[in-house]
Amino acid sequence: MTSELTILGISGSLRTDSYNSALLRAARDLAPAGVALDIYAGLRDIPPYDMDLDTPDRRPAAVQDLRDRINAADGLLIITPEFNYSIPGVLKNALDWASTDWTETEGLPLLRKPVAIAGAAPTNFGSVRAQLALRQVFVWTDSDVVTKPEVIAFRVHERLGQDGRLIDEGTAVLLRNLLDALTAKAAAKAATKVGAAR
Ligand SMILES: Cc1cc2nc3c(=O)[nH]c(=O)nc-3n(C[C@H](O)[C@H](O)[C@H](O)COP(=O)(O)O)c2cc1C
């Protein structure tokens, strides 16, 4: 079956055995029918934000690719760890690059973009503060963020098997509900685009 909607999934961790990336893979497998969840693998290649380079003709290729992929996606799913009570720098940096349109010719990739947030940590509260900080970022970008359910996979090592697969049904249900809420927003936005094109 061809997918009607595309969700771009971004993990906030670069670590090979990342719990957050494992949850993102689980989310891909749990995506509703008609939804393709593509996992973004380019975070490591995004250079530090530089406003001097943030124009269509000067932007680094990896950054332009990220912006293009966000523009093409019907929604974003971000699953992130918490670093020092906040958003990992690599993730914040990528979002900064995706948040601008200084020439006012391209459009803002994150504007009204449906976004769902989740996070995991082996600690008891990890990801809560990172998720809150991420929600603040999406206020400035005026993105359309799913508010419920909140998916806070604390003590995540107890929810994954040795092979990194999700074995906790409660987490799976939450992820499914989050994806359903994101899909509803993405479908509504896609419908307005189709309507506008008519
Ligand atoms: C630089 C750094 C800062 C961290 N800060 C926090 C933190 O503020 N709160 C927390 O619960 N865990 C913190 N941790 C632990 C992470 O939750 C843990 O390493 C987690 O597994 C990282 O996510 P990942 O498995 O997806 O790579 C930190 C880890 C690192 C490397």
Side-chain angles (χ1 to χ4, degrees), residues 116-159:
I117 293 170
T123 57
N124 283 331
F125 299 104
S127 94
V128 173
R129 292 148 300 218
Q131 291 194 43
L132 281 174
L134 203 47
R135 284 181 195 279
Q136 273 187 299
V137 168
F138 290 122
V139 172
W140 176 257
T141 59
D142 201 0
S143 304
D144 186 10
V145 183
V146 173
T147 48
K148 292 281 169 66
E150 293 178 290
V151 183
I152 300 151
F154 59 91
R155 299 189 66 78
V156 65
H157 51 292
E158 296 171 3
R159 302 168 193 263

Side-chain angles (χ1 to χ4, degrees), residues 37-59:
L37 199 158
D38 295 336
I39 294 182
Y40 176 66
L43 198 60
R44 184 183 296 280
D45 303 322
I46 302 288
Y49 182 79
D50 183 344
M51 193 170 164
D52 290 339
L53 302 181
D54 194 9
T55 55
D57 49 330
R58 301 199 67 200
R59 211 173 270 136

Side-chain angles (χ1 to χ4, degrees), residues 13 15 17-21 81-85 120-123 126 129:
S13 174
R15 195 168 75 88
D17 294 327
S18 160
Y19 295 125
N20 286 276
S21 301
E82 174 174 301
F83 282 1
N84 299 311
Y85 272 36
T123 57
R129 292 148 300 218

Side-chain angles (χ1 to χ4, degrees), residues 46-60 63-64 67 93-104 106 108 140:
I46 302 288
Y49 182 79
D50 183 344
M51 193 170 164
D52 290 339
L53 302 181
D54 194 9
T55 55
D57 49 330
R58 301 199 67 200
R59 211 173 270 136
V63 171
Q64 191 56 52
R67 289 176 61 110
N93 179 58
L95 293 174
D96 291 341
W97 276 114
S99 68
T100 54
D101 176 11
W102 300 118
T103 58
E104 296 185 8
E106 307 171 276
L108 297 158
W140 176 257

